[in-house]
Amino acid sequence: MSSQIPSSIASHDTLPSGLRGLVADWSSDRHAFKVSWGKAMMWIFLLSDTFIFSCFLTGYMTVRMATTVPWPNPSEVFGMEIGGQPVPLLLIAIMTFTLITSSGTMAMAVNYAYRRDRMACAKLMFVTAWLGEVFVCMQAFEWTKLIVVEGVRPWGNPLGAAQFGSTFFMITGFHGFHVTCGVIYLLFIASKVLRGHYDVSGNYQPVEIAGLYWHFVDLVWVFIFALFYLW
C-alpha cells in the first residue's frame, strides 16, 4: 500500500517560514487568479477611487437639488466669446475631446507594447502625456477665468448658489490632480519603454497597468462633464 504524501502538503511543508513564508503565501495567489499583483493592486486602487468620486458627485447632486438659491447656468458660466459671439461650453468641449483622444492614443500604446514595438509605444505614451498636460493647462485657464473674471470662490459665488464654487473647485481640482499624477506616471513608464527596460524583462504589463489608470481618469471626466456642464 502506497504512503505517498500529497504534493500540496509536501509543497506546503517546504515553504519558508517568517516573512519570506508570508510573501510566498501571498505570491501564490497570482497563479490562482491568473492576475499579476501589479494589475490587481491597480484595480483595487481604482475601486477605492471610484468610491471617493462617487461620494463627491453624490454630494454635489444632493447639494444642488437641496439649495433654494438658483444654480448658475453652465452655458453662461463656462461659455466663451468668439468674434464677439458667445459660444457655450466651447472650452469644455475642447477639454473633453482632448482627454478622450488621449484615451485612444493610450490604447494604441498598449497595443504596440504587446507587439514589442518599443518606439511606437513610447511615442504614443508621450503624446498621451502631452494631451493630458494640455487638458490640465485648459483647466487652469478655466479656473483663472472663474476666479478672476467671474469672482467665484470656494466660499462664495456672485452668480448664484454659494455651494457652486466649493463643489466645483473640489471635484474638478481632485480630478485635475489625478490627471497631473497620470501625466507624471506616463512619462516615467514611457521613459523606461524608450530605454528598452521592458525588452530586457520581456514584460510590458506596466504599460497596460498605466493604461488602466488613464482610462479611469477619462471615464471619471465623462461623469463630471455630464453632471457639472450639461445638467
Side-chain angles (χ1 to χ4, degrees), residues 91-190:
L91 179 63
I92 310 305
I94 297 174
M95 291 169 63
T96 303
F97 176 79
T98 301
L99 207 56
I100 291 179
T101 301
S102 72
S103 188
T105 56
M106 188 66 229
M108 289 190 290
V110 174
N111 189 356
Y112 279 110
Y114 282 110
R115 292 184 186 182
R116 300 296 189 269
D117 192 335
R118 175 164 55 91
M119 294 303 297
C121 174
K123 288 178 181 178
L124 285 166
M125 292 191 72
F126 282 126
V127 170
T128 304
W130 176 75
L131 290 171
E133 185 61 31
V134 170
F135 174 87
V136 172
C137 290
M138 287 190 289
Q139 190 172 62
F141 173 79
E142 177 192 34
W143 276 37
T144 303
K145 178 176 177 293
L146 283 176
I147 295 172
V148 177
V149 179
E150 307 292 350
V152 179
R153 301 290 188 273
W155 52 85
N157 172 30
L159 304 177
Q163 297 91 335
F164 171 80
S166 59
T167 55
F168 176 79
F169 289 123
M170 178 183 68
I171 295 177
T172 59
F174 192 57
H175 178 264
F177 173 73
H178 277 69
V179 176
T180 302
C181 292
V183 169
I184 298 172
Y185 183 23
L186 290 178
L187 290 175
F188 174 73
I189 298 296

Side-chain angles (χ1 to χ4, degrees), residues 45-126:
F45 170 76
L46 296 182
L47 181 62
S48 65
D49 242 16
T50 300
F51 291 145
I52 295 174
F53 275 109
S54 297
C55 291
F56 282 172
L57 293 175
T58 302
Y60 161 75
M61 290 186 290
T62 302
V63 167
R64 179 165 178 176
M65 290 185 293
T67 182
T68 57
V69 181
W71 202 262
N73 187 348
S75 298
E76 297 176 1
V77 176
F78 302 108
M80 296 184 66
E81 288 191 2
I82 302 296
Q85 297 296 322
V87 181
L89 302 179
L90 176 61
L91 179 63
I92 310 305
I94 297 174
M95 291 169 63
T96 303
F97 176 79
T98 301
L99 207 56
I100 291 179
T101 301
S102 72
S103 188
T105 56
M106 188 66 229
M108 289 190 290
V110 174
N111 189 356
Y112 279 110
Y114 282 110
R115 292 184 186 182
R116 300 296 189 269
D117 192 335
R118 175 164 55 91
M119 294 303 297
C121 174
K123 288 178 181 178
L124 285 166
M125 292 191 72
F126 282 126

Side-chain angles (χ1 to χ4, degrees), residues 184-212:
I184 298 172
Y185 183 23
L186 290 178
L187 290 175
F188 174 73
I189 298 296
S191 64
K192 297 184 73 172
V193 171
L194 195 60
R195 295 196 304 267
H197 176 83
Y198 301 117
D199 287 340
V200 176
S201 63
N203 179 22
Y204 270 85
Q205 196 171 86
V207 177
E208 182 183 1
I209 295 172
L212 289 175

